[in-house]
Amino acid sequence: MVQIKPFKVEEWMDKFETTPGVVNVAETCPSMTCLEGERLSAEDVIITQGAIGANFLTLYTLLGPGDHVVCVYPTYQQLYDVPRSLGADVSLWKLRTEDGFVPDVEEMEILIKENTKAHLGERAPIPTNTLHSIAKVAQVRGIILFSDEVYRLFSTAELRGSAMCRHRQRHLGYKRTVVTGFMSKGFALAGIRVGWVATKDKTILLDIASARDYNTISVSQVDDQIASYALSPAVQEPLVARNMALARTNAKLLKHFVDDHDSICSWVEPKAGTTAFIQFKSNGEPVNDVDFCMDLLEKTKVFFCPGSHCFGDDQDFAGYVRVGYVCQTQVLETGLKKLEGYIQSFLS
């Protein structure tokens, strides 16, 4: 854990200016998160510059040499390489295709050590019952449960067209839960760069707030006003509903494509989020996903992220690519047609 002195001038200004976040968003975004079965207040939230800023600030504040963390893998590289850069020991909790990329809680328990400080992961892909099991283990062992929740609005129920559930996090019953969020994904407002850290643990929150004085101070007032408007009751529901409908429509199109080309590509059909992890094969063997992505981009202008390079440390997930599919439906349809032509010419 970083040892950092209070930033005197920023603390002084915080007392007399509206800088601890930007107050409007801090008052509005707690409605997106619920910990311990209760709504959060503005005092439980710290506003940041996007989720990447929220994640970095939290990890920078809480972890350091001598600490150990367990991190779900594959995931956003920031969640395991920032702790490593801070001197923490990281154990990767590897998810398997044959398990549908659902984590095995017993494996998590095996990875926990005496100096384990935190469990790190993303919320959306993890089933609720598994998440509760993780929380119970964390509580017994006294470790921090950290959850990047940028994809949380894209739940299984919503992607499959069920009635919309409440957008806030489900009751975990554990005070030392820390979550981060962002105005991207479910709100489709990544450009305004407004995110947040939320927790009911006042000690953790104060430590993060102190570190925040050194790298953020405040977010753009313009961004704050846009985010506050988007999170207002009159706007939030229709905005999210529009994005959920787009995700459902596009998910069906992508599934149809994969099913029609099952000799070339395979996947674990995503149950949440806005991306898919698809493996492509040629002559029965995984393609070189880096070469595949570069050649596909050059020949068709269709852009994917190579799985082994971006998520597997150039060792795991051979042949996999990450496909972002919640764009305008016409864009996805055009991209899939170009991809189909490439497959017929070069992989069949």
Side-chain angles (χ1 to χ4, degrees):
M1 179 176 175
V2 64
Q3 300 297 315
I4 192 166
K5 292 183 178 180
F7 200 157
K8 298 293 183 62
V9 64
E10 292 303 332
E11 285 194 344
W12 179 265
M13 289 192 295
D14 283 351
K15 293 180 180 179
F16 304 105
E17 295 182 346
T18 57
T19 55
V22 178
V23 172
N24 290 339
V25 178
E27 292 175 346
T28 314
C29 73
S31 66
M32 297 304 304
T33 309
C34 181
L35 299 174
E36 301 182 282
E38 58 181 299
R39 284 185 180 273
L40 300 178
S41 67
E43 287 70 34
D44 302 315
V45 177
I46 295 174
I47 302 304
T48 63
Q49 295 180 0
I52 196 167
N55 291 344
F56 185 88
L57 183 63
T58 302
L59 299 173
Y60 173 79
T61 301
L62 299 178
L63 301 175
D67 292 328
H68 171 257
V69 299
V70 176
C71 184
V72 169
Y73 174 87
T75 190
Y76 199 43
Q77 184 177 343
Q78 182 192 35
L79 298 187
Y80 51 86
D81 270 350
V82 167
R84 285 171 174 162
S85 75
L86 297 170
D89 178 28
V90 177
S91 293
L92 298 179
W93 185 11
K94 296 185 177 182
L95 311 185
R96 296 185 294 269
T97 304
E98 56 268 29
D99 295 332
F101 289 127
V102 174
D104 183 333
V105 179
E106 291 184 0
E107 290 187 4
M108 172 195 172
E109 294 185 80
I110 293 172
L111 293 172
I112 292 175
K113 302 178 181 180
E114 290 296 324
N115 62 333
T116 299
K117 183 95 176 267
H119 164 271
L120 312 175
E122 295 178 273
R123 168 67 177 94
I126 301 177
T128 301
N129 60 337
T130 303
L131 191 66
H132 279 274
S133 297
I134 293 171
K136 289 179 181 178
V137 172
Q139 186 167 15
V140 169
R141 302 300 293 266
I143 63 179
I144 296 168
L145 181 58
F146 174 87
S147 178
D148 179 335
E149 299 207 330
V150 296
Y151 288 106
R152 182 171 46 81
L153 294 185
F154 291 95
S155 70
T156 302
E158 289 173 354
L159 282 181
R160 293 184 176 179
S162 303
M164 288 183 65
C165 64
R166 298 313 306 162
H167 303 322
R168 58 188 184 272
Q169 180 180 331
R170 296 179 185 272
H171 172 204
L172 294 180
Y174 184 41
K175 181 180 179 181
R176 301 194 77 199
T177 299
V178 181
V179 301
T180 57
F182 187 28
M183 293 301 300
S184 65
K185 316 309 179 190
F187 299 107
L189 292 171
I192 63 173
R193 308 309 302 164
V194 172
W196 53 82
V197 182
T199 181
K200 295 295 291 184
D201 189 307
K202 295 302 181 185
T203 299
I204 292 176
L205 195 75
L206 289 173
D207 287 341
I208 294 173
S210 181
R212 180 186 181 281
D213 287 337
Y214 280 84
N215 74 354
T216 304
I217 301 178
S218 68
V219 300
S220 161
Q221 295 283 329
V222 174
D223 291 351
D224 165 62
Q225 292 298 316
I226 297 171
S228 298
Y229 177 74
L231 291 171
S232 65
V235 177
Q236 183 184 131
E237 288 292 340
L239 176 62
V240 172
R242 174 263 184 194
N243 296 334
M244 293 302 115
L246 183 64
R248 286 194 291 269
T249 297
N250 289 6
K252 291 176 182 177
L253 289 173
L254 188 58
K255 174 176 170 52
H256 183 69
F257 180 90
V258 173
D259 290 345
D260 283 352
H261 301 84
D262 59 1
S263 63
I264 300 294
C265 51
S266 60
W267 68 347
V268 173
E269 184 181 352
K271 297 180 174 60
T274 64
T275 62
F277 212 36
I278 302 175
Q279 186 181 51
F280 286 81
K281 293 185 178 181
S282 179
N283 298 317
E285 295 296 326
V287 300
N288 181 312
D289 47 279
V290 174
D291 291 346
F292 169 74
C293 287
M294 294 180 66
D295 195 52
L296 180 68
L297 180 62
E298 180 181 347
K299 289 182 169 65
T300 70
K301 306 306 179 186
V302 172
F303 176 77
F304 295 151
C305 293
S308 67
H309 180 66
C310 295
F311 303 98
D313 199 24
D314 294 310
Q315 300 179 40
D316 301 319
F317 314 119
Y320 279 89
V321 302
R322 188 187 73 170
V323 179
Y325 62 86
V326 188
C327 49
Q328 293 297 324
T329 299
Q330 185 178 0
V331 173
L332 179 63
E333 290 173 331
T334 300
L336 292 178
K337 287 179 181 178
K338 290 182 177 182
L339 177 60
E340 183 174 46
Y342 181 93
I343 287 175
Q344 292 173 347
S345 299
F346 301 103
L347 296 185
S348 298

